Amino acid sequence: MTDTPPVHGYAPTAVGVALSDCTARDAETVLRVLCTAFRSDRRPTEHPDEDATVWLTTLDVSSLPAPCVTRPLSGPVTADIQGGHEALDRVRAALTKAFTVSEATAAHGDQEEELHLRLTTHH
């Protein structure tokens, strides 16, 4: 992560991601896309715990996303992402290049927002 100074209690380029309602293999696919595209607290080759029900990462989106290759998902993945408006736009754009993204719900604040997304394989 970069040393971006927090603004009003948050780093404007940090995005928290929680993946759920999916298999560990599908979580690994999404995490690999995110951790290849952006700096992360996870390594792109790190394998998610098979017994987990939620997989987490924090991304630093201060630089433009790197291109990444993905594999098909076996089913939908729920992604809850939280961060600054511009930072979430970057994450959503990277996810949209790799998957079909449907926005289920959104909560908007002055400086942060939270999105509840559904990811599926491009058709």
PDB file of all heavy atoms in Angstrom, residues 29-30 33-34 37-38 63-73 89-102 117 119-123:
ATOM      1  N   THR A  29     -10.459 -16.460  -8.320  1.00  0.00           N
ATOM      2  CA  THR A  29     -10.484 -15.844  -9.649  1.00  0.00           C
ATOM      3  C   THR A  29     -10.664 -14.332  -9.539  1.00  0.00           C
ATOM      4  O   THR A  29      -9.937 -13.557 -10.166  1.00  0.00           O
ATOM      5  CB  THR A  29     -11.612 -16.455 -10.504  1.00  0.00           C
ATOM      6  OG1 THR A  29     -11.340 -17.843 -10.697  1.00  0.00           O
ATOM      7  CG2 THR A  29     -11.737 -15.762 -11.855  1.00  0.00           C
ATOM      8  N   VAL A  30     -11.623 -13.903  -8.739  1.00  0.00           N
ATOM      9  CA  VAL A  30     -11.882 -12.464  -8.585  1.00  0.00           C
ATOM     10  C   VAL A  30     -10.717 -11.788  -7.869  1.00  0.00           C
ATOM     11  O   VAL A  30     -10.259 -10.708  -8.282  1.00  0.00           O
ATOM     12  CB  VAL A  30     -13.216 -12.219  -7.850  1.00  0.00           C
ATOM     13  CG1 VAL A  30     -13.427 -10.726  -7.597  1.00  0.00           C
ATOM     14  CG2 VAL A  30     -14.382 -12.802  -8.641  1.00  0.00           C
ATOM     15  N   VAL A  33      -7.822 -11.202 -10.205  1.00  0.00           N
ATOM     16  CA  VAL A  33      -8.049 -10.051 -11.079  1.00  0.00           C
ATOM     17  C   VAL A  33      -7.750  -8.756 -10.317  1.00  0.00           C
ATOM     18  O   VAL A  33      -7.010  -7.894 -10.794  1.00  0.00           O
ATOM     19  CB  VAL A  33      -9.501 -10.043 -11.615  1.00  0.00           C
ATOM     20  CG1 VAL A  33      -9.869  -8.691 -12.220  1.00  0.00           C
ATOM     21  CG2 VAL A  33      -9.690 -11.153 -12.636  1.00  0.00           C
ATOM     22  N   LEU A  34      -8.312  -8.618  -9.126  1.00  0.00           N
ATOM     23  CA  LEU A  34      -8.133  -7.390  -8.352  1.00  0.00           C
ATOM     24  C   LEU A  34      -6.691  -7.186  -7.918  1.00  0.00           C
ATOM     25  O   LEU A  34      -6.167  -6.070  -7.983  1.00  0.00           O
ATOM     26  CB  LEU A  34      -9.056  -7.413  -7.128  1.00  0.00           C
ATOM     27  CG  LEU A  34     -10.546  -7.324  -7.436  1.00  0.00           C
ATOM     28  CD1 LEU A  34     -11.362  -7.544  -6.174  1.00  0.00           C
ATOM     29  CD2 LEU A  34     -10.886  -5.983  -8.078  1.00  0.00           C
ATOM     30  N   ALA A  37      -4.573  -6.231 -10.903  1.00  0.00           N
ATOM     31  CA  ALA A  37      -4.887  -4.889 -11.394  1.00  0.00           C
ATOM     32  C   ALA A  37      -4.364  -3.792 -10.472  1.00  0.00           C
ATOM     33  O   ALA A  37      -3.913  -2.744 -10.942  1.00  0.00           O
ATOM     34  CB  ALA A  37      -6.397  -4.743 -11.572  1.00  0.00           C
ATOM     35  N   PHE A  38      -4.415  -4.015  -9.161  1.00  0.00           N
ATOM     36  CA  PHE A  38      -4.060  -2.988  -8.177  1.00  0.00           C
ATOM     37  C   PHE A  38      -3.121  -3.557  -7.120  1.00  0.00           C
ATOM     38  O   PHE A  38      -3.076  -4.766  -6.908  1.00  0.00           O
ATOM     39  CB  PHE A  38      -5.327  -2.471  -7.461  1.00  0.00           C
ATOM     40  CG  PHE A  38      -6.366  -1.919  -8.381  1.00  0.00           C
ATOM     41  CD1 PHE A  38      -7.511  -2.644  -8.666  1.00  0.00           C
ATOM     42  CD2 PHE A  38      -6.211  -0.677  -8.971  1.00  0.00           C
ATOM     43  CE1 PHE A  38      -8.488  -2.142  -9.505  1.00  0.00           C
ATOM     44  CE2 PHE A  38      -7.181  -0.159  -9.823  1.00  0.00           C
ATOM     45  CZ  PHE A  38      -8.315  -0.896 -10.093  1.00  0.00           C
ATOM     46  N   SER A  63      -2.791   4.002  -8.666  1.00  0.00           N
ATOM     47  CA  SER A  63      -2.256   3.963 -10.029  1.00  0.00           C
ATOM     48  C   SER A  63      -3.286   3.324 -10.960  1.00  0.00           C
ATOM     49  O   SER A  63      -4.236   2.678 -10.514  1.00  0.00           O
ATOM     50  CB  SER A  63      -0.945   3.176 -10.064  1.00  0.00           C
ATOM     51  OG  SER A  63      -1.163   1.865  -9.603  1.00  0.00           O
ATOM     52  N   LEU A  64      -3.080   3.505 -12.260  1.00  0.00           N
ATOM     53  CA  LEU A  64      -3.998   2.916 -13.230  1.00  0.00           C
ATOM     54  C   LEU A  64      -3.923   1.400 -13.142  1.00  0.00           C
ATOM     55  O   LEU A  64      -2.846   0.842 -12.918  1.00  0.00           O
ATOM     56  CB  LEU A  64      -3.640   3.382 -14.643  1.00  0.00           C
ATOM     57  CG  LEU A  64      -3.856   4.864 -14.910  1.00  0.00           C
ATOM     58  CD1 LEU A  64      -3.357   5.224 -16.298  1.00  0.00           C
ATOM     59  CD2 LEU A  64      -5.319   5.228 -14.762  1.00  0.00           C
ATOM     60  N   PRO A  65      -5.047   0.711 -13.345  1.00  0.00           N
ATOM     61  CA  PRO A  65      -5.041  -0.743 -13.206  1.00  0.00           C
ATOM     62  C   PRO A  65      -4.216  -1.425 -14.294  1.00  0.00           C
ATOM     63  O   PRO A  65      -4.191  -0.988 -15.439  1.00  0.00           O
ATOM     64  CB  PRO A  65      -6.515  -1.136 -13.326  1.00  0.00           C
ATOM     65  CG  PRO A  65      -7.199   0.029 -13.926  1.00  0.00           C
ATOM     66  CD  PRO A  65      -6.364   1.235 -13.636  1.00  0.00           C
ATOM     67  N   ALA A  66      -3.538  -2.486 -13.888  1.00  0.00           N
ATOM     68  CA  ALA A  66      -2.784  -3.302 -14.840  1.00  0.00           C
ATOM     69  C   ALA A  66      -3.752  -4.254 -15.531  1.00  0.00           C
ATOM     70  O   ALA A  66      -4.740  -4.684 -14.935  1.00  0.00           O
ATOM     71  CB  ALA A  66      -1.712  -4.095 -14.091  1.00  0.00           C
ATOM     72  N   PRO A  67      -3.501  -4.584 -16.787  1.00  0.00           N
ATOM     73  CA  PRO A  67      -4.377  -5.546 -17.470  1.00  0.00           C
ATOM     74  C   PRO A  67      -4.221  -6.928 -16.849  1.00  0.00           C
ATOM     75  O   PRO A  67      -3.161  -7.279 -16.347  1.00  0.00           O
ATOM     76  CB  PRO A  67      -3.878  -5.526 -18.914  1.00  0.00           C
ATOM     77  CG  PRO A  67      -2.513  -4.939 -18.860  1.00  0.00           C
ATOM     78  CD  PRO A  67      -2.424  -4.106 -17.627  1.00  0.00           C
ATOM     79  N   CYS A  68      -5.284  -7.694 -16.868  1.00  0.00           N
ATOM     80  CA  CYS A  68      -5.225  -9.032 -16.304  1.00  0.00           C
ATOM     81  C   CYS A  68      -6.128  -9.976 -17.096  1.00  0.00           C
ATOM     82  O   CYS A  68      -7.083  -9.549 -17.729  1.00  0.00           O
ATOM     83  CB  CYS A  68      -5.603  -9.026 -14.831  1.00  0.00           C
ATOM     84  SG  CYS A  68      -7.107  -8.147 -14.482  1.00  0.00           S
ATOM     85  N   VAL A  69      -5.783 -11.230 -17.030  1.00  0.00           N
ATOM     86  CA  VAL A  69      -6.541 -12.273 -17.710  1.00  0.00           C
ATOM     87  C   VAL A  69      -7.348 -13.009 -16.655  1.00  0.00           C
ATOM     88  O   VAL A  69      -6.881 -13.220 -15.534  1.00  0.00           O
ATOM     89  CB  VAL A  69      -5.581 -13.244 -18.429  1.00  0.00           C
ATOM     90  CG1 VAL A  69      -6.343 -14.371 -19.083  1.00  0.00           C
ATOM     91  CG2 VAL A  69      -4.743 -12.494 -19.437  1.00  0.00           C
ATOM     92  N   THR A  70      -8.559 -13.394 -16.990  1.00  0.00           N
ATOM     93  CA  THR A  70      -9.391 -14.092 -16.028  1.00  0.00           C
ATOM     94  C   THR A  70      -9.888 -15.400 -16.611  1.00  0.00           C
ATOM     95  O   THR A  70      -9.766 -15.647 -17.804  1.00  0.00           O
ATOM     96  CB  THR A  70     -10.579 -13.218 -15.587  1.00  0.00           C
ATOM     97  OG1 THR A  70     -11.262 -13.868 -14.525  1.00  0.00           O
ATOM     98  CG2 THR A  70     -11.534 -12.953 -16.728  1.00  0.00           C
ATOM     99  N   ARG A  71     -10.439 -16.212 -15.742  1.00  0.00           N
ATOM    100  CA  ARG A  71     -11.076 -17.448 -16.181  1.00  0.00           C
ATOM    101  C   ARG A  71     -12.550 -17.356 -15.828  1.00  0.00           C
ATOM    102  O   ARG A  71     -12.942 -16.537 -14.977  1.00  0.00           O
ATOM    103  CB  ARG A  71     -10.407 -18.662 -15.544  1.00  0.00           C
ATOM    104  CG  ARG A  71     -10.518 -18.707 -14.042  1.00  0.00           C
ATOM    105  CD  ARG A  71      -9.812 -19.948 -13.489  1.00  0.00           C
ATOM    106  NE  ARG A  71     -10.020 -19.998 -12.059  1.00  0.00           N
ATOM    107  CZ  ARG A  71      -9.078 -20.167 -11.165  1.00  0.00           C
ATOM    108  NH1 ARG A  71      -7.832 -20.339 -11.550  1.00  0.00           N
ATOM    109  NH2 ARG A  71      -9.356 -20.195  -9.884  1.00  0.00           N
ATOM    110  N   PRO A  72     -13.389 -18.191 -16.444  1.00  0.00           N
ATOM    111  CA  PRO A  72     -14.827 -18.124 -16.156  1.00  0.00           C
ATOM    112  C   PRO A  72     -15.146 -18.470 -14.701  1.00  0.00           C
ATOM    113  O   PRO A  72     -14.446 -19.268 -14.073  1.00  0.00           O
ATOM    114  CB  PRO A  72     -15.428 -19.178 -17.096  1.00  0.00           C
ATOM    115  CG  PRO A  72     -14.387 -19.449 -18.115  1.00  0.00           C
ATOM    116  CD  PRO A  72     -13.065 -19.161 -17.474  1.00  0.00           C
ATOM    117  N   LEU A  73     -16.196 -17.858 -14.187  1.00  0.00           N
ATOM    118  CA  LEU A  73     -16.698 -18.180 -12.855  1.00  0.00           C
ATOM    119  C   LEU A  73     -17.685 -19.339 -12.969  1.00  0.00           C
ATOM    120  O   LEU A  73     -18.418 -19.440 -13.947  1.00  0.00           O
ATOM    121  CB  LEU A  73     -17.409 -16.962 -12.250  1.00  0.00           C
ATOM    122  CG  LEU A  73     -16.558 -15.702 -12.057  1.00  0.00           C
ATOM    123  CD1 LEU A  73     -17.451 -14.526 -11.671  1.00  0.00           C
ATOM    124  CD2 LEU A  73     -15.497 -15.946 -10.993  1.00  0.00           C
ATOM    125  N   ASP A  89     -14.968   3.800  -8.504  1.00  0.00           N
ATOM    126  CA  ASP A  89     -15.133   3.823  -9.954  1.00  0.00           C
ATOM    127  C   ASP A  89     -14.012   3.042 -10.629  1.00  0.00           C
ATOM    128  O   ASP A  89     -14.248   2.313 -11.597  1.00  0.00           O
ATOM    129  CB  ASP A  89     -15.163   5.261 -10.481  1.00  0.00           C
ATOM    130  CG  ASP A  89     -16.452   5.995 -10.134  1.00  0.00           C
ATOM    131  OD1 ASP A  89     -17.444   5.328  -9.765  1.00  0.00           O
ATOM    132  OD2 ASP A  89     -16.451   7.240 -10.222  1.00  0.00           O
ATOM    133  N   ARG A  90     -12.779   3.168 -10.130  1.00  0.00           N
ATOM    134  CA  ARG A  90     -11.646   2.441 -10.709  1.00  0.00           C
ATOM    135  C   ARG A  90     -11.797   0.932 -10.511  1.00  0.00           C
ATOM    136  O   ARG A  90     -11.526   0.154 -11.419  1.00  0.00           O
ATOM    137  CB  ARG A  90     -10.336   2.916 -10.098  1.00  0.00           C
ATOM    138  CG  ARG A  90      -9.925   4.276 -10.577  1.00  0.00           C
ATOM    139  CD  ARG A  90      -8.588   4.664 -10.023  1.00  0.00           C
ATOM    140  NE  ARG A  90      -8.180   5.922 -10.627  1.00  0.00           N
ATOM    141  CZ  ARG A  90      -6.948   6.363 -10.627  1.00  0.00           C
ATOM    142  NH1 ARG A  90      -5.989   5.661 -10.054  1.00  0.00           N
ATOM    143  NH2 ARG A  90      -6.654   7.509 -11.190  1.00  0.00           N
ATOM    144  N   VAL A  91     -12.227   0.531  -9.319  1.00  0.00           N
ATOM    145  CA  VAL A  91     -12.403  -0.902  -9.052  1.00  0.00           C
ATOM    146  C   VAL A  91     -13.540  -1.454  -9.904  1.00  0.00           C
ATOM    147  O   VAL A  91     -13.419  -2.524 -10.506  1.00  0.00           O
ATOM    148  CB  VAL A  91     -12.640  -1.169  -7.552  1.00  0.00           C
ATOM    149  CG1 VAL A  91     -13.002  -2.623  -7.309  1.00  0.00           C
ATOM    150  CG2 VAL A  91     -11.400  -0.781  -6.748  1.00  0.00           C
ATOM    151  N   ARG A  92     -14.645  -0.738  -9.956  1.00  0.00           N
ATOM    152  CA  ARG A  92     -15.784  -1.186 -10.767  1.00  0.00           C
ATOM    153  C   ARG A  92     -15.378  -1.314 -12.237  1.00  0.00           C
ATOM    154  O   ARG A  92     -15.751  -2.280 -12.904  1.00  0.00           O
ATOM    155  CB  ARG A  92     -16.966  -0.224 -10.638  1.00  0.00           C
ATOM    156  CG  ARG A  92     -18.209  -0.756 -11.365  1.00  0.00           C
ATOM    157  CD  ARG A  92     -19.367   0.203 -11.368  1.00  0.00           C
ATOM    158  NE  ARG A  92     -19.697   0.707 -10.059  1.00  0.00           N
ATOM    159  CZ  ARG A  92     -19.913   1.999  -9.796  1.00  0.00           C
ATOM    160  NH1 ARG A  92     -19.849   2.922 -10.739  1.00  0.00           N
ATOM    161  NH2 ARG A  92     -20.225   2.386  -8.583  1.00  0.00           N
ATOM    162  N   ALA A  93     -14.593  -0.378 -12.753  1.00  0.00           N
ATOM    163  CA  ALA A  93     -14.140  -0.440 -14.152  1.00  0.00           C
ATOM    164  C   ALA A  93     -13.266  -1.673 -14.385  1.00  0.00           C
ATOM    165  O   ALA A  93     -13.411  -2.353 -15.407  1.00  0.00           O
ATOM    166  CB  ALA A  93     -13.387   0.832 -14.522  1.00  0.00           C
ATOM    167  N   ALA A  94     -12.368  -1.970 -13.461  1.00  0.00           N
ATOM    168  CA  ALA A  94     -11.517  -3.158 -13.603  1.00  0.00           C
ATOM    169  C   ALA A  94     -12.350  -4.435 -13.554  1.00  0.00           C
ATOM    170  O   ALA A  94     -12.127  -5.362 -14.342  1.00  0.00           O
ATOM    171  CB  ALA A  94     -10.449  -3.177 -12.511  1.00  0.00           C
ATOM    172  N   LEU A  95     -13.327  -4.485 -12.653  1.00  0.00           N
ATOM    173  CA  LEU A  95     -14.191  -5.664 -12.568  1.00  0.00           C
ATOM    174  C   LEU A  95     -15.036  -5.824 -13.832  1.00  0.00           C
ATOM    175  O   LEU A  95     -15.254  -6.934 -14.305  1.00  0.00           O
ATOM    176  CB  LEU A  95     -15.098  -5.576 -11.332  1.00  0.00           C
ATOM    177  CG  LEU A  95     -14.418  -5.783  -9.984  1.00  0.00           C
ATOM    178  CD1 LEU A  95     -15.375  -5.438  -8.842  1.00  0.00           C
ATOM    179  CD2 LEU A  95     -13.892  -7.207  -9.852  1.00  0.00           C
ATOM    180  N   THR A  96     -15.494  -4.708 -14.387  1.00  0.00           N
ATOM    181  CA  THR A  96     -16.333  -4.745 -15.584  1.00  0.00           C
ATOM    182  C   THR A  96     -15.564  -5.270 -16.796  1.00  0.00           C
ATOM    183  O   THR A  96     -16.143  -5.895 -17.674  1.00  0.00           O
ATOM    184  CB  THR A  96     -16.917  -3.347 -15.864  1.00  0.00           C
ATOM    185  OG1 THR A  96     -17.706  -2.964 -14.725  1.00  0.00           O
ATOM    186  CG2 THR A  96     -17.793  -3.324 -17.099  1.00  0.00           C
ATOM    187  N   LYS A  97     -14.258  -5.045 -16.849  1.00  0.00           N
ATOM    188  CA  LYS A  97     -13.453  -5.587 -17.942  1.00  0.00           C
ATOM    189  C   LYS A  97     -13.346  -7.106 -17.842  1.00  0.00           C
ATOM    190  O   LYS A  97     -13.238  -7.792 -18.848  1.00  0.00           O
ATOM    191  CB  LYS A  97     -12.059  -4.978 -17.936  1.00  0.00           C
ATOM    192  CG  LYS A  97     -12.039  -3.545 -18.402  1.00  0.00           C
ATOM    193  CD  LYS A  97     -10.643  -2.985 -18.386  1.00  0.00           C
ATOM    194  CE  LYS A  97     -10.668  -1.517 -18.800  1.00  0.00           C
ATOM    195  NZ  LYS A  97      -9.352  -0.905 -18.704  1.00  0.00           N
ATOM    196  N   ALA A  98     -13.395  -7.643 -16.625  1.00  0.00           N
ATOM    197  CA  ALA A  98     -13.196  -9.078 -16.415  1.00  0.00           C
ATOM    198  C   ALA A  98     -14.501  -9.859 -16.290  1.00  0.00           C
ATOM    199  O   ALA A  98     -14.541 -11.042 -16.623  1.00  0.00           O
ATOM    200  CB  ALA A  98     -12.352  -9.300 -15.160  1.00  0.00           C
ATOM    201  N   PHE A  99     -15.559  -9.217 -15.807  1.00  0.00           N
ATOM    202  CA  PHE A  99     -16.813  -9.907 -15.508  1.00  0.00           C
ATOM    203  C   PHE A  99     -18.008  -9.051 -15.918  1.00  0.00           C
ATOM    204  O   PHE A  99     -17.872  -7.855 -16.150  1.00  0.00           O
ATOM    205  CB  PHE A  99     -16.929 -10.193 -13.995  1.00  0.00           C
ATOM    206  CG  PHE A  99     -15.723 -10.854 -13.411  1.00  0.00           C
ATOM    207  CD1 PHE A  99     -14.816 -10.140 -12.651  1.00  0.00           C
ATOM    208  CD2 PHE A  99     -15.482 -12.208 -13.621  1.00  0.00           C
ATOM    209  CE1 PHE A  99     -13.695 -10.742 -12.100  1.00  0.00           C
ATOM    210  CE2 PHE A  99     -14.365 -12.824 -13.086  1.00  0.00           C
ATOM    211  CZ  PHE A  99     -13.464 -12.093 -12.326  1.00  0.00           C
ATOM    212  N   THR A 100     -19.175  -9.670 -15.931  1.00  0.00           N
ATOM    213  CA  THR A 100     -20.415  -8.913 -16.031  1.00  0.00           C
ATOM    214  C   THR A 100     -20.744  -8.458 -14.612  1.00  0.00           C
ATOM    215  O   THR A 100     -20.800  -9.279 -13.693  1.00  0.00           O
ATOM    216  CB  THR A 100     -21.549  -9.780 -16.600  1.00  0.00           C
ATOM    217  OG1 THR A 100     -21.181 -10.186 -17.923  1.00  0.00           O
ATOM    218  CG2 THR A 100     -22.859  -9.014 -16.645  1.00  0.00           C
ATOM    219  N   VAL A 101     -20.940  -7.165 -14.428  1.00  0.00           N
ATOM    220  CA  VAL A 101     -21.167  -6.599 -13.097  1.00  0.00           C
ATOM    221  C   VAL A 101     -22.566  -6.017 -13.026  1.00  0.00           C
ATOM    222  O   VAL A 101     -22.932  -5.174 -13.839  1.00  0.00           O
ATOM    223  CB  VAL A 101     -20.130  -5.497 -12.783  1.00  0.00           C
ATOM    224  CG1 VAL A 101     -20.404  -4.857 -11.430  1.00  0.00           C
ATOM    225  CG2 VAL A 101     -18.716  -6.062 -12.846  1.00  0.00           C
ATOM    226  N   SER A 102     -23.337  -6.475 -12.035  1.00  0.00           N
ATOM    227  CA  SER A 102     -24.665  -5.918 -11.770  1.00  0.00           C
ATOM    228  C   SER A 102     -24.620  -5.268 -10.396  1.00  0.00           C
ATOM    229  O   SER A 102     -24.141  -5.877  -9.438  1.00  0.00           O
ATOM    230  CB  SER A 102     -25.728  -7.015 -11.759  1.00  0.00           C
ATOM    231  OG  SER A 102     -25.705  -7.748 -12.953  1.00  0.00           O
ATOM    232  N   LEU A 117     -22.233  -5.649  -5.264  1.00  0.00           N
ATOM    233  CA  LEU A 117     -22.228  -6.033  -6.665  1.00  0.00           C
ATOM    234  C   LEU A 117     -22.404  -7.538  -6.829  1.00  0.00           C
ATOM    235  O   LEU A 117     -22.033  -8.311  -5.952  1.00  0.00           O
ATOM    236  CB  LEU A 117     -20.889  -5.631  -7.313  1.00  0.00           C
ATOM    237  CG  LEU A 117     -20.473  -4.169  -7.183  1.00  0.00           C
ATOM    238  CD1 LEU A 117     -19.074  -3.980  -7.739  1.00  0.00           C
ATOM    239  CD2 LEU A 117     -21.474  -3.265  -7.881  1.00  0.00           C
ATOM    240  N   LEU A 119     -21.177 -10.421  -9.523  1.00  0.00           N
ATOM    241  CA  LEU A 119     -20.268 -10.670 -10.629  1.00  0.00           C
ATOM    242  C   LEU A 119     -20.592 -12.009 -11.264  1.00  0.00           C
ATOM    243  O   LEU A 119     -20.794 -13.000 -10.569  1.00  0.00           O
ATOM    244  CB  LEU A 119     -18.819 -10.700 -10.143  1.00  0.00           C
ATOM    245  CG  LEU A 119     -18.368  -9.541  -9.254  1.00  0.00           C
ATOM    246  CD1 LEU A 119     -16.947  -9.765  -8.780  1.00  0.00           C
ATOM    247  CD2 LEU A 119     -18.489  -8.218  -9.981  1.00  0.00           C
ATOM    248  N   THR A 120     -20.635 -12.040 -12.585  1.00  0.00           N
ATOM    249  CA  THR A 120     -20.835 -13.289 -13.333  1.00  0.00           C
ATOM    250  C   THR A 120     -19.876 -13.273 -14.524  1.00  0.00           C
ATOM    251  O   THR A 120     -19.306 -12.238 -14.874  1.00  0.00           O
ATOM    252  CB  THR A 120     -22.287 -13.445 -13.826  1.00  0.00           C
ATOM    253  OG1 THR A 120     -22.663 -12.289 -14.581  1.00  0.00           O
ATOM    254  CG2 THR A 120     -23.262 -13.614 -12.658  1.00  0.00           C
ATOM    255  N   THR A 121     -19.745 -14.411 -15.164  1.00  0.00           N
ATOM    256  CA  THR A 121     -18.870 -14.528 -16.330  1.00  0.00           C
ATOM    257  C   THR A 121     -19.504 -13.776 -17.505  1.00  0.00           C
ATOM    258  O   THR A 121     -20.710 -13.804 -17.702  1.00  0.00           O
ATOM    259  CB  THR A 121     -18.706 -16.011 -16.701  1.00  0.00           C
ATOM    260  OG1 THR A 121     -18.086 -16.669 -15.582  1.00  0.00           O
ATOM    261  CG2 THR A 121     -17.839 -16.193 -17.922  1.00  0.00           C
ATOM    262  N   HIS A 122     -18.639 -13.083 -18.278  1.00  0.00           N
ATOM    263  CA  HIS A 122     -19.096 -12.439 -19.519  1.00  0.00           C
ATOM    264  C   HIS A 122     -19.710 -13.497 -20.431  1.00  0.00           C
ATOM    265  O   HIS A 122     -19.193 -14.600 -20.535  1.00  0.00           O
ATOM    266  CB  HIS A 122     -17.941 -11.788 -20.285  1.00  0.00           C
ATOM    267  CG  HIS A 122     -17.493 -10.482 -19.736  1.00  0.00           C
ATOM    268  ND1 HIS A 122     -18.313  -9.396 -19.555  1.00  0.00           N
ATOM    269  CD2 HIS A 122     -16.268 -10.067 -19.340  1.00  0.00           C
ATOM    270  CE1 HIS A 122     -17.626  -8.385 -19.080  1.00  0.00           C
ATOM    271  NE2 HIS A 122     -16.382  -8.769 -18.932  1.00  0.00           N
ATOM    272  N   HIS A 123     -20.794 -13.133 -21.109  1.00  0.00           N
ATOM    273  CA  HIS A 123     -21.402 -14.079 -22.066  1.00  0.00           C
ATOM    274  C   HIS A 123     -21.113 -13.660 -23.466  1.00  0.00           C
ATOM    275  O   HIS A 123     -20.955 -12.599 -23.841  1.00  0.00           O
ATOM    276  CB  HIS A 123     -22.917 -14.147 -21.868  1.00  0.00           C
ATOM    277  CG  HIS A 123     -23.275 -14.706 -20.532  1.00  0.00           C
ATOM    278  ND1 HIS A 123     -22.967 -15.984 -20.150  1.00  0.00           N
ATOM    279  CD2 HIS A 123     -23.901 -14.156 -19.475  1.00  0.00           C
ATOM    280  CE1 HIS A 123     -23.401 -16.212 -18.928  1.00  0.00           C
ATOM    281  NE2 HIS A 123     -23.975 -15.102 -18.489  1.00  0.00           N
TER     282      HIS A 123
END
